[in-house]
Amino acid sequence: MRIVLGDVTVTNWSKDPLLTLSNTQQRKLTGAISLSRQMSALALRLLRDYERKLIVKSVDPQMAKDFFASGEVVKEALERYFGITKAMATFTTDLNTIIAKLTTTEAGLKNPFQIVVGNICDMDDIKDGIRDAFLELKQGEFRSALAELKYIRTGTRGWVGPPTNALQRIHLNVNMIDKDAEDRIARTIIHEATHKFAGTDDIAYKADNLKHNAGGHANLTNNADSYAWCCRRIWKNN
């Protein structure tokens, strides 16, 4: 399969050679790609405005109030998904890093790129799924064991090819395209795009006590899920 949605080329995962996308799936993915671009562009613009406001406020608080929005949406998103506040000594450096990484991500997303779709999974997914299914069987939970095996093919939302692969294409799970709303798919595209274009890592996911950095994670300015959720939060609440 090779289709072009706007300026994004979509192919099937090599391990799913017969996979095709229905018209409904194509429309949904097209909408999600468009939303990922809107979310990242809006978040970047408001983050830059917030940075400018803070600079102006340090010189003329009234001017900052007169010419800039409150910035509460950005402030809340930064605290919630990066765990940074203006009271922190590293705040300015952290904000600059976030803006720089989102700048390269947004630039990458607004240009043509490639997406691979399929029932994607890796060896870790397979090993974990078989282990968990075996534990469920030992407890007599046959239905739960089947669910664990099914999760091997549905649990991973996406990934990006390794740095050794020159293409580093964004991979998306076709099950996610079927089941999730367009804004959730767009969030995943942004997550993977930060890996591809800004070199982020998977330091913590939202489920790992990411909110307000309750898990005490270090270096969230390089965390892909922080960017994905921050962009969606700003887009949703703006």
Side-chain angles (χ1 to χ4, degrees):
M1 175 186 70
R2 184 183 185 279
I3 57 177
V4 180
L5 304 179
D7 58 357
V8 176
T9 302
V10 181
T11 56
N12 52 296
W13 193 34
S14 59
K15 295 183 181 180
D16 284 320
L18 301 180
L19 179 73
T20 60
L21 292 183
S22 67
N23 290 336
T24 299
Q25 290 171 319
Q26 290 183 40
R27 285 194 297 271
K28 200 172 183 183
L29 184 54
T30 299
I33 292 167
S34 177
L35 268 181
S36 72
R37 288 168 163 169
Q38 293 174 39
M39 287 180 184
S40 59
L42 176 63
L44 180 59
R45 177 171 63 81
L46 294 186
L47 280 163
R48 286 171 171 166
D49 284 350
Y50 186 66
E51 180 186 42
R52 295 187 189 102
K53 178 182 180 178
L54 295 179
I55 294 171
V56 172
K57 187 177 180 180
S58 67
V59 178
D60 190 331
Q62 187 59 48
M63 182 181 290
K65 185 177 180 180
D66 291 343
F67 288 94
F68 293 92
S70 68
E72 284 302 311
V73 172
V74 173
K75 175 175 174 288
E76 191 262 352
L78 290 172
E79 292 178 3
R80 180 179 289 257
Y81 297 118
F82 291 97
I84 65 171
T85 68
K86 288 188 290 184
M88 298 170 63
T90 60
F91 178 79
T92 300
T93 301
D94 289 341
L95 181 58
N96 288 338
T97 298
I98 292 166
I99 290 173
K101 285 186 177 291
L102 191 54
T103 297
T104 59
T105 299
E106 192 265 344
L109 280 173
K110 73 181 180 182
N111 287 309
F113 61 96
Q114 297 183 48
I115 289 177
V116 178
V117 296
N119 293 285
I120 60 174
C121 58
D122 58 22
M123 285 307 299
D124 288 337
D125 296 324
I126 294 170
K127 290 176 183 177
D128 291 346
I130 292 174
R131 180 202 62 204
D132 293 342
F134 181 70
L135 291 174
E136 294 290 353
L137 281 175
K138 285 182 68 176
Q139 298 174 27
E141 297 291 341
F142 181 73
R143 291 171 65 90
S144 296
L146 288 178
E148 294 293 350
L149 292 175
K150 181 180 178 182
Y151 195 70
I152 292 174
R153 290 165 64 87
T154 62
T156 300
R157 297 177 61 82
W159 77 47
V160 165
T164 53
N165 186 322
L167 292 177
Q168 278 198 293
R169 293 174 296 185
I170 293 174
H171 290 60
L172 298 179
N173 197 319
V174 69
N175 295 283
M176 175 190 67
I177 297 172
D178 281 333
K179 297 177 181 178
D180 285 358
E182 288 182 5
D183 63 311
R184 294 189 67 191
I185 302 169
R187 190 192 74 225
T188 299
I189 293 173
I190 293 172
H191 176 117
E192 304 306 334
T194 67
H195 287 319
K196 177 177 174 64
F197 299 116
T200 60
D201 293 325
D202 287 322
I203 296 168
Y205 294 95
K206 189 183 180 185
D208 300 321
N209 289 318
L210 180 60
K211 187 176 178 181
H212 298 295
N213 199 14
H217 307 290
N219 198 25
L220 288 181
T221 56
N222 199 43
N223 184 45
D225 228 27
S226 294
Y227 289 90
W229 282 99
C230 178
C231 287
R232 183 179 182 273
R233 185 82 178 182
I234 290 173
W235 167 81
K236 186 176 181 180
N237 292 342
N238 183 58

